């Protein structure tokens, strides 16, 4: 009996041990990546406990222009120091040489090398960005063969000469957004509250496509006492996935983008924007905003990172284009009808920009000369409701960028933070005559974005049919195959488009602006151009200032590009920087 009890006891213990071993095997072999309901990655956590590494590539997707030229993701050669056993006395002279090659303070460099208890990269103070080595520097450092000093390739997300920064945006920590939009990824461990995600621009709107499957890093593996493991001390760790990271193909032309940015700088536009659209399909060829900013050093207080090409400002006389469309559609101006302008409207403090007025003038001539008095008189014949309706049909007072209306999820927009603009403010009495005439010259409550202004020109060139500007055309896997395509869109609405004959007439009147009106200086451009000027009055720090506008297209005979430029907060009587920038942009396009 006693032997039987012992035998059953041993059998029970054996079964218990077998169950425990089976459970342990299950955890180690089957359940390593998703242990318990919280999907804990046991392998990843165990490696993290004994791994000290530095990131060489985040694995985040990159942006390219329409020709495949990289916009983000600059590969640079950087210096990495590993904490290995160093016979430093033998390499004293070599260490000094490296400091000289790096053009660094010798004391700082020596301390950096000797105090490296984990792998460290020689980086810019404050930002942690790797300091790029020239090929010559890299070769000289490698030739010295100092223990623990390696030259390795790493990826800087934003190149030193980064272009389209406002449009691309920047990444950063945003725990609240992660909790709100990426709860599933937070649960399975692919994201943490400290993860860097898109905060603005395309980095933000394209975030679901940009998240990769893992970073590439160089790591030092240690034992429990943090001593390097023999044979497993320094390793390059990479997901090596054939499909990820993805590449976002934009419609930008990087060469045009750089030219536009340089032109804004050269013409002295400190605050403003320029937009270049492909006249054939409204694709964004270039979009620049000023003032500039550094995506690696964000100052949220100054707001320079905001994209002014998507922000609505007072349009001034470019808004007269909408009044012309409404007047022609309503038939309130007779063919050949003339108006008198003596310099003042006589009410509401409205005056013409030309002292003494334009005298006897037709409606077409008033558009070319941008006569405020004539447009105020014409607006007396048009209702506020009609003006607002026509503006919306031409693509104003609406978000016009490429949009995907997803059932249940709401609309998804390619452009981050695009504003709608407005014709009248919320409770403004739209049928009040004073309100209407002030609005007719693009003042009062009227607000337009540079993107809308450029697209207004494209709409006229397409016979009154508005399109949705696009900035992303496709997403590709790492092997080059297309993962998703964003096809061109039309801007639909409840009302019919402006008639083709009216659109064609206005596009022709824009030609007169250059031939005999406010855009005469553009006659010296390399292409024959057409457009409309605008000067909007504003107040900056209690002082009178203006927003200078010019919108138009070129070449006239076969339009290829529509361009809008705004120079904000300029002195009242200063040189017209918007027209100068418009001309230079068109000349740069003509040179291509």
């Amino acid at each position: 009996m006693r032997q039987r009890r012992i035998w059953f006891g041993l059998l029970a213990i054996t079964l218990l041990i077998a169950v425990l071993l089976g459970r342990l095997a299950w955890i180690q072999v089957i359940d390593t990546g998703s242990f318990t309901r919280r999907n804990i990655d046991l392998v990843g956590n165990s490696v993290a406990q004994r791994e000290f590494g530095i990131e060489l590539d985040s694995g985040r997707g990159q942006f390219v222009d329409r020709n495949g030229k990289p916009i983000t993701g600059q590969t640079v050669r950087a210096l990495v120091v590993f904490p290995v056993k160093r016979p430093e006395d033998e390499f004293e002279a070599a260490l000094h040489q490296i400091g000289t090659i790096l053009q660094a303070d010798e004391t700082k460099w020596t301390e950096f090398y000797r105090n490296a208890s984990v792998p460290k990269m020689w980086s810019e103070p404050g930002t942690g960005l790797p300091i790029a080595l020239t090929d010559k520097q890299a070769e000289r450092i490698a030739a010295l063969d100092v223990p623990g000093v390696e030259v390795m390739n790493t990826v800087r997300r934003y190149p030193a000469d980064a272009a389209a920064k406002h449009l691309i945006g920047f990444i950063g920590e945003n725990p609240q957004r992660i909790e709100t939009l990426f709860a599933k990824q937070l649960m399975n461990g692919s994201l943490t509250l400290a993860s860097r995600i898109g905060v603005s621009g395309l980095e933000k709107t394209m975030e679901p496509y940009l998240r990769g499957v893992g970073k590439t890093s160089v790591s030092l593996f240690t034992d429990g006492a943090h001593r390097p493991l023999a044979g497993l001390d320094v390793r390059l760790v990479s997901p090596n996935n054939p499909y990820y990271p993805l590449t976002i193909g934009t419609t930008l032309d990087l060469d045009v983008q750089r030219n536009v940015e340089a032109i804004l700088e050269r013409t002295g536009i400190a605050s403003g924007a320029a937009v270049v659209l492909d006249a054939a399909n409204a694709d964004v060829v270039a979009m620049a905003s000023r003032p500039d900013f550094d995506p690696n050093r964000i100052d949220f207080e100054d707001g320079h990172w905001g994209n002014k090409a998507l922000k609505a400002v007072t349009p001034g006389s470019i808004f007269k284009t909408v009044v012309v469309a409404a007047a022609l559609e309503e038939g309130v101006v007779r063919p050949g009808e003339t108006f008198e302008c003596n310099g003042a409207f006589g009410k509401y403090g409205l005056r013409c920009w030309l002292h003494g007025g334009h005298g006897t003038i037709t409606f077409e001539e008033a558009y070319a000369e941008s006569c405020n008095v004539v447009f105020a008189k014409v607006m007396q014949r048009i209702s506020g409701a009609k003006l607002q309706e026509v503006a919306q049909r031409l693509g104003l007072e609406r978000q016009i960028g490429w949009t995907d209306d997803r059932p249940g999820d709401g609309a998804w927009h390619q452009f981050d933070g695009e504003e709608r603009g407005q014709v009248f403010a919320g409770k403004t009495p739209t049928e009040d005559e004073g309100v209407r005439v002030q609005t007719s010259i693009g003042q009062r409550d009227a607000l337009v974005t540079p993107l809308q202004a450029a697209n207004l020109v494209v709409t006229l060139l397409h016979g009154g049919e508005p399109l949705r500007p696009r900035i992303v055309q496709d997403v590709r896997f790492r092997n080059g195959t297309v993962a998703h395509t964003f096809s061109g869109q039309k801007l639909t609405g409840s009302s019919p488009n402006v008639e083709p004959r009216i659109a064609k007439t206005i596009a022709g009147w824009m030609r007169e602006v250059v031939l005999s009106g406010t855009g005469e200086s553009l006659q010296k451009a390399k292409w024959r151009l057409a457009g409309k000027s605008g000067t909007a009055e504003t107040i900056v720090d209690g002082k009178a200032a203006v927003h200078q506008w010019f919108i138009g297209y070129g070449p006239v005979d076969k339009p290829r590009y529509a361009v809008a430029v705004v120079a904000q907060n300029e002195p009242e009587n200063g040189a017209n920087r918007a027209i100068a920038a418009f001309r230079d942009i068109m000349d740069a396009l003509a040179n291509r």
Side-chain angles (χ1 to χ4, degrees), residues 505-519:
T505 296
I506 299 173
W509 286 16
M510 284 185 166
R511 176 61 182 149
E512 293 302 316
V513 172
V514 175
L515 290 176
S516 60
T518 54

Side-chain angles (χ1 to χ4, degrees), residues 79-121:
L79 185 141
V80 180
V81 171
F82 296 95
V84 297
K85 187 177 180 181
R86 307 180 179 103
E88 295 177 6
D89 293 342
E90 298 178 24
F91 294 94
E92 220 31 76
L95 283 175
H96 174 75
Q97 281 185 269
I98 291 177
T100 303
I101 294 169
L102 294 174
Q103 297 179 331
D105 180 271
E106 185 175 352
T107 302
K108 290 182 179 179
W109 156 244
T110 304
E111 288 179 357
F112 179 84
Y113 175 79
R114 289 175 175 166
N115 297 334
S117 57
V118 295
K120 295 197 299 183
M121 187 177 293

Side-chain angles (χ1 to χ4, degrees), residues 211-411:
R211 277 184 276 115
V213 293
K215 64 183 179 180
T216 297
S217 61
V218 59
S219 300
L220 175 73
F221 290 86
T222 64
D223 60 15
H226 300 292
R227 293 172 300 202
L229 292 171
L232 192 65
D233 45 2
V234 177
R235 292 181 63 190
L236 186 68
V237 180
S238 173
N240 197 28
N241 189 294
Y243 299 105
Y244 291 86
L246 301 175
T247 297
I248 310 295
T250 71
T251 61
L252 291 177
D253 185 311
L254 196 55
D255 293 336
V256 175
Q257 178 71 32
R258 291 191 186 281
N259 271 330
V260 170
E261 292 178 4
I263 288 167
L264 293 186
E265 195 72 26
R266 187 170 65 244
T267 52
I269 296 179
S271 178
V275 177
V276 180
L277 299 184
D278 189 325
N281 53 21
D283 280 354
V284 176
V285 179
M287 179 181 284
S289 177
R290 285 295 178 270
D292 200 3
F293 82 107
D294 183 348
N296 297 304
R297 299 178 178 85
I298 304 300
D299 186 339
F300 287 96
E301 296 296 325
D302 64 28
H304 291 172
W305 52 272
N307 190 351
K308 291 186 182 295
L310 304 174
K311 304 302 179 185
V313 296
T314 311
S317 292
I318 66 168
F319 191 80
K320 291 172 181 173
T321 306
V322 180
V323 179
V324 173
L328 294 180
E329 189 167 273
E330 291 286 87
V332 298
V333 178
R334 300 185 306 276
E337 182 178 357
T338 59
F339 299 82
E340 291 296 324
C341 170
N342 61 9
F345 181 61
K347 291 189 286 186
Y348 317 118
L350 192 147
R351 304 185 64 83
C352 191
W353 66 268
L354 182 63
H355 183 71
H358 291 93
T360 303
I361 192 172
T362 66
F363 193 29
E364 180 180 356
E365 290 170 337
Y367 183 76
E369 294 287 351
S370 205
C371 177
N372 291 342
V373 171
V374 171
F375 272 81
K377 291 179 178 180
V378 170
M379 195 62 219
Q380 287 178 311
R381 308 173 186 181
I382 306 171
S383 70
K386 181 64 180 181
L387 183 69
Q388 190 168 27
E389 175 203 325
V390 171
Q392 291 175 354
R393 286 157 56 196
L394 288 170
L396 305 185
E397 208 174 43
R398 307 167 65 179
Q399 285 183 314
I400 62 168
W402 200 99
T403 302
D404 184 7
D405 294 312
R406 300 175 176 179
D409 295 334

Side-chain angles (χ1 to χ4, degrees), residues 508-555:
W509 286 16
M510 284 185 166
R511 176 61 182 149
E512 293 302 316
V513 172
V514 175
L515 290 176
S516 60
T518 54
E520 281 186 307
S521 62
L522 297 175
Q523 292 179 21
K524 298 178 181 179
K526 295 182 178 181
W527 275 341
R528 294 176 62 216
L529 303 175
K532 182 70 187 81
S533 63
T535 305
E537 297 176 357
T538 188
I539 301 294
V540 179
D541 297 330
K543 296 180 180 179
V546 294
H547 301 323
Q548 300 169 344
W549 285 85
F550 201 88
I551 65 174
Y553 63 91

Side-chain angles (χ1 to χ4, degrees), residues 177-198:
R177 187 163 185 258
I178 290 176
E179 284 184 317
T180 304
L181 300 179
F182 304 110
K184 184 177 179 181
Q185 292 83 352
L186 193 61
M187 182 69 72
N188 65 28
S190 60
L191 282 179
T192 70
L193 291 178
S195 295
R196 291 166 64 80
I197 63 172

